[in-house]
Amino acid sequence: MKALVLVDHPENKIQLLEVEKPVPTEGKVLIKLKAAALNRRDQWIREGKYPNIQMNTILGSDGAGIVEEVSAGVSSDLIGNEVIINPNIDWGENPKVQSKAYHILGMPTNGTFAEYVEVEASKIYKKPTYLSWEEAASIPLGGLTAFRAVFTQGQVSAGQNVLISGAGGGVAQFAMLYALAAQANVYVTSGSADKIRTCIDLGTKAGFNYKAEGWQKEALQSSGGFDVVIDSAGGDQLNDFIKMMKPSGRIVFYGATNGTPQKLDMFRMFWNQITLQGSTMGNDQEFEQMVAFINEHKIKPILDSVRPFSEIISAFDAIKNGGTFGKLVVNMKD
């Protein structure tokens, strides 16, 4: 089968190669992929900026397809099912935090950038029927990260004011769609006026350009303060968020691309009972809840582009160059 493999090459770190088609081992199924989607994680692995990198791994965490084979002990009724894949592996018994063994499909375990992938039978869920293959494939990693941040950690509910930073990111876009579906008052930040306009067209109340002087004051005046902030960047802007929070507000962050803040306004935090909460991708129960929520509200993921699998390396380059809005997806039709 064709697969995108991480290789130890001085220039071409990812290559489309012919590899052996997997045979499902006990408790697992073989899925013929119809579409797969990229995440920034994939490009970070390509650049060597991810921990515990293992060469000769098939990358990719997001995918959707059809169950083609099952192993002994797995019901043959699954054959032919149209499914999306939960990329969690070994979350562990504590739903509040992942185990030390936890990792994600697509490195070091072979992932979805291939014609076939072998996964645990317990990690497949019926594809939402109203979604295309490309839309369904774009959900798992980003969708689950956002679901945990918005609902488990952020406890977002109807009528609350929610600020989502960096609306150009895939997780942020899922967070926006979820918060809108929950009937919250949603606001976004972005460095792009075009992306802000797109978010407003999708239903957000307003957007703020974080490159503009005084955007923080504008955000506070426009919203009256925020109950929840969902952030991926960290850094010194955490103090901006602290100043915008309503009493007992929650700042949830699922990344720290801007690093740690030079200082933290702890006085304002304790006086206003503000919570600063870290968050990761999500557990298996949350994945099941996410699929149900998406089906209930008929949420459609935002896609930037779809291209054939043979052109997947160009999708990596698009992530590297920036400026995309929505998920980059490949289909397996070629």
Side-chain angles (χ1 to χ4, degrees), residues 37-282:
L38 280 75
N39 293 282
R40 292 188 188 277
R41 173 183 190 264
D42 301 308
Q43 175 59 23
W44 289 338
I45 293 172
R46 180 195 193 187
E47 295 176 7
K49 298 177 180 177
Y50 205 83
N52 303 319
I53 286 177
Q54 294 189 21
M55 294 297 168
N56 303 312
T57 300
I58 299 170
L59 301 184
S61 305
D62 286 345
I66 298 173
V67 178
E68 188 166 282
E69 296 179 32
V70 300
S71 64
V74 177
S75 172
S76 60
D77 292 344
L78 293 175
I79 294 175
N81 281 7
E82 298 184 349
V83 298
I84 61 174
I85 301 165
N86 173 3
N88 278 339
I89 300 173
D90 292 334
W91 175 275
E93 296 181 359
N94 186 348
K96 293 183 178 181
V97 65
Q98 67 274 25
S99 72
K100 290 182 179 180
Y102 177 69
H103 62 286
I104 300 167
L105 191 69
M107 209 277 300
T109 301
N110 286 332
T112 58
F113 295 159
E115 293 179 289
Y116 296 88
V117 66
E118 175 196 23
V119 299
E120 295 282 348
S122 61
K123 303 297 183 181
I124 58 174
Y125 294 79
K126 286 189 176 180
K127 167 186 166 291
T129 56
Y130 69 96
L131 294 180
S132 68
W133 283 114
E134 292 80 9
E135 290 167 336
S138 75
I139 292 171
L141 192 152
L144 181 57
T145 304
F147 190 86
R148 183 176 179 86
V150 170
F151 295 116
T152 304
Q153 312 290 28
Q155 302 169 38
V156 168
S157 61
Q160 291 186 329
N161 290 349
V162 179
L163 178 66
I164 297 166
S165 73
V171 175
Q173 289 159 24
F174 275 110
M176 175 184 71
L177 295 175
Y178 294 160
L180 287 169
Q183 298 184 320
N185 304 313
V186 183
Y187 302 79
V188 298
T189 73
S190 173
S192 163
D194 289 340
K195 291 177 181 179
I196 289 172
R197 280 193 292 271
T198 300
C199 291
I200 291 172
D201 290 342
L202 289 168
T204 62
K205 297 287 186 183
F208 314 103
N209 191 324
Y210 58 72
K211 296 178 181 178
E213 178 122 12
W215 75 266
Q216 302 92 333
K217 184 177 180 181
E218 179 189 357
L220 184 56
Q221 290 177 341
S222 175
S223 65
F226 298 104
D227 299 284
V228 181
V229 170
I230 308 292
D231 177 56
S232 67
D236 288 330
Q237 72 172 352
L238 284 177
N239 291 301
D240 294 329
F241 298 147
I242 290 168
K243 293 175 184 176
M244 301 180 206
M245 302 306 295
K246 291 183 177 181
S248 74
R250 297 172 296 284
I251 302 170
V252 180
F253 67 103
Y254 55 90
T257 53
N258 287 344
T260 56
Q262 294 180 20
K263 59 180 181 178
L264 196 63
D265 189 351
M266 295 182 69
F267 297 102
R268 198 183 302 262
M269 284 188 72
F270 79 69
W271 187 252
N272 288 325
Q273 314 284 335
I274 293 168
T275 300
L276 180 60
Q277 173 69 57
S279 190
T280 57
M281 196 164 81

